[in-house]
Amino acid sequence: MPIKLVTQAETILKEQGGRMTSQRKLILEKIESMSGHPTAEEIYLNANQEDPTLNLSTVYRTLRWLTDQSLITPHRFDEERRQERFDATLTGTNKDHYHFQCQQCKNIIEFSSDQMEKIKSIFSSQTGSEVFSAELVFYGVCANCRENRS
Amino acid sequence: MPIKLVTQAETILKEQGGRMTSQRKLILEKIESMSGHPTAEEIYLNANQEDPTLNLSTVYRTLRWLTDQSLITPHRFDEERRQERFDATLTGTNKDHYHFQCQQCKNIIEFSSDQMEKIKSIFSSQTGSEVFSAELVFYGVCANCRENRS
DNA sequence: ATATTATTGCAAATGAATTGCAATATCAAT
DNA sequence: ATTGATATTGCAATTCATTTGCAATAATAT
């Protein structure tokens, strides 16, 4: 099983002279347990039930820190242009993955693809650019919503 | 050569009982002439030199309308997470295209790929979802910045 | 236990984008 | 050309997600 987010965070904090607080621990646990790709608001609402004194800006600060440490990845999907969603799926360790968002239920499906390397290398050799990362998002209707269509 | 944005807009406006104003015409011309993928602010700054009474909210309203009519496409790129950039490259008519953004000079390169259809169909058949559109962004360093690296 | 200082909660600020409204300008009908 | 109906504008105020300054609090090393 993958290394827990809290463990990874603790290691980095130690290096940086940072501190593991109860708030951080709670937020990290929530991000990990919440399926899908929650927004800051959603994480706050969920964590706040457990610790009612937890503040929204602490959530934002933690999320920003995690992003800077590359422990999570922020995404913006089309429909909800304004708010960020956070992806706790370990980056680096396991293979790159991409996303599909259902335009009806807004659910997100992750997938990977062997073809991507090819697209990258074709682009690189054609333009002389070096590609470090790729973000691919499909939009459409998921199997579930196709069945129960109104 | 492709159909001018102003012409397309005029057709749609006629259908909708809308009006082609001097402001709109100016904004449309600017979007078309500005290379790259300008932000609302950039379009405003540029158009404002020609018509100093033009207001920023008119630019936003026009951009939103054009987006709703699918005449332009909004994008968000990683580095500048908060503001939208607009892509005037005709959608629908010509083939889908994707983007590369240089992390140094922030320039955007457009490209297309035959492989994408394959990725789409593999994903569709694996999940039973229907895919309507795809957004792919590469991040890295462009040829120019690789040479003149500091 | 204590001192140091990273982190929190809170409230205020930011920045991009949107909106309400009175004034203005476009276009169709005369 | 003139007119009238109303779509669109400019302006200011507002929204919404996110960030930030600061005094109070709490985590860690000693």
Side-chain angles (χ1 to χ4, degrees):
Chain A
M1 79 194 84
I3 308 141
K4 281 208 163 195
L5 215 49
V6 201
T7 317
Q8 292 184 277
E10 268 166 349
T11 311
I12 298 176
L13 283 172
K14 191 142 284 175
E15 285 170 7
Q16 299 180 341
R19 295 166 187 181
M20 176 54 74
T21 64
S22 63
Q23 292 86 331
R24 278 189 186 165
K25 198 172 286 183
L26 176 60
I27 294 167
L28 298 199
E29 281 165 10
K30 287 303 174 190
I31 298 174
E32 208 152 41
S33 75
M34 292 174 79
S35 72
H37 296 66
T39 63
E41 193 81 26
E42 286 167 358
I43 295 165
Y44 167 70
L45 254 38
N46 190 331
N48 194 249
Q49 282 171 260
E50 213 142 307
D51 173 3
T53 73
L54 177 70
N55 194 276
L56 180 56
S57 51
T58 302
V59 175
Y60 273 110
R61 269 189 288 238
T62 305
L63 255 17
R64 194 55 54 214
W65 181 80
L66 287 167
T67 303
D68 293 342
Q69 307 308 320
S70 304
L71 293 183
I72 61 175
T73 316
H75 294 286
R76 304 226 181 211
F77 299 103
D78 245 16
E79 290 71 16
E80 323 130 305
R81 289 202 304 286
R82 307 182 68 132
Q83 55 185 341
E84 264 175 336
R85 293 191 165 274
F86 295 89
D87 184 351
T89 310
L90 299 174
T91 49
T93 323
N94 55 346
K95 214 199 293 182
D96 291 331
H97 68 273
Y98 312 105
H99 299 93
F100 165 92
Q101 185 176 42
C102 175
Q103 289 168 327
Q104 265 164 57
C105 67
K106 311 293 183 208
N107 256 22
I108 287 153
I109 302 175
E110 296 186 351
F111 67 96
S112 52
S113 169
D114 312 323
Q115 326 289 315
M116 190 54 93
E117 276 311 314
K118 198 172 195 172
I119 301 188
K120 259 189 222 177
S121 64
I122 291 175
F123 173 80
S124 284
S125 62
Q126 275 179 354
T127 61
S129 328
E130 197 173 359
V131 177
F132 297 134
S133 68
E135 217 167 303
L136 170 63
V137 187
F138 285 152
Y139 295 101
V141 187
C142 70
N144 235 328
C145 287
R146 289 181 74 186
E147 286 180 24
N148 333 343
R149 72 160 138 283
S150 44
Chain B
M1 80 194 82
I3 307 142
K4 283 208 159 194
L5 214 49
V6 200
T7 317
Q8 291 185 279
E10 269 166 349
T11 311
I12 297 176
L13 283 171
K14 192 143 284 177
E15 283 172 5
Q16 298 180 343
R19 296 168 187 180
M20 176 54 73
T21 64
S22 63
Q23 292 86 332
R24 277 189 187 166
K25 199 173 286 183
L26 176 60
I27 294 167
L28 298 200
E29 280 164 10
K30 288 302 174 191
I31 299 174
E32 209 153 40
S33 74
M34 292 175 79
S35 73
H37 297 63
T39 62
E41 194 80 25
E42 287 166 356
I43 295 165
Y44 167 70
L45 255 39
N46 191 331
N48 195 248
Q49 282 171 262
E50 213 143 308
D51 173 3
T53 71
L54 177 70
N55 194 276
L56 180 57
S57 51
T58 302
V59 174
Y60 273 112
R61 268 189 289 237
T62 305
L63 255 17
R64 193 57 51 219
W65 181 80
L66 286 167
T67 303
D68 293 342
Q69 307 307 319
S70 305
L71 293 182
I72 60 175
T73 317
H75 294 286
R76 304 224 181 214
F77 299 103
D78 245 16
E79 290 72 17
E80 324 130 304
R81 289 203 303 289
R82 306 182 69 130
Q83 54 185 341
E84 264 174 336
R85 294 190 165 274
F86 295 89
D87 184 351
T89 311
L90 300 174
T91 48
T93 322
N94 55 346
K95 214 200 290 183
D96 291 332
H97 68 273
Y98 311 105
H99 299 93
F100 164 92
Q101 186 176 42
C102 174
Q103 288 168 326
Q104 264 164 57
C105 67
K106 310 295 183 206
N107 256 23
I108 287 154
I109 302 175
E110 296 188 351
F111 67 95
S112 51
S113 170
D114 311 324
Q115 326 289 314
M116 190 54 93
E117 276 311 313
K118 198 172 194 171
I119 301 188
K120 259 189 223 177
S121 65
I122 291 174
F123 172 80
S124 285
S125 62
Q126 275 179 354
T127 61
S129 327
E130 197 173 357
V131 177
F132 296 134
S133 68
E135 217 167 304
L136 170 63
V137 186
F138 284 151
Y139 295 100
V141 188
C142 71
N144 235 327
C145 287
R146 288 181 74 186
E147 286 180 24
N148 335 343
R149 70 159 140 285
S150 44

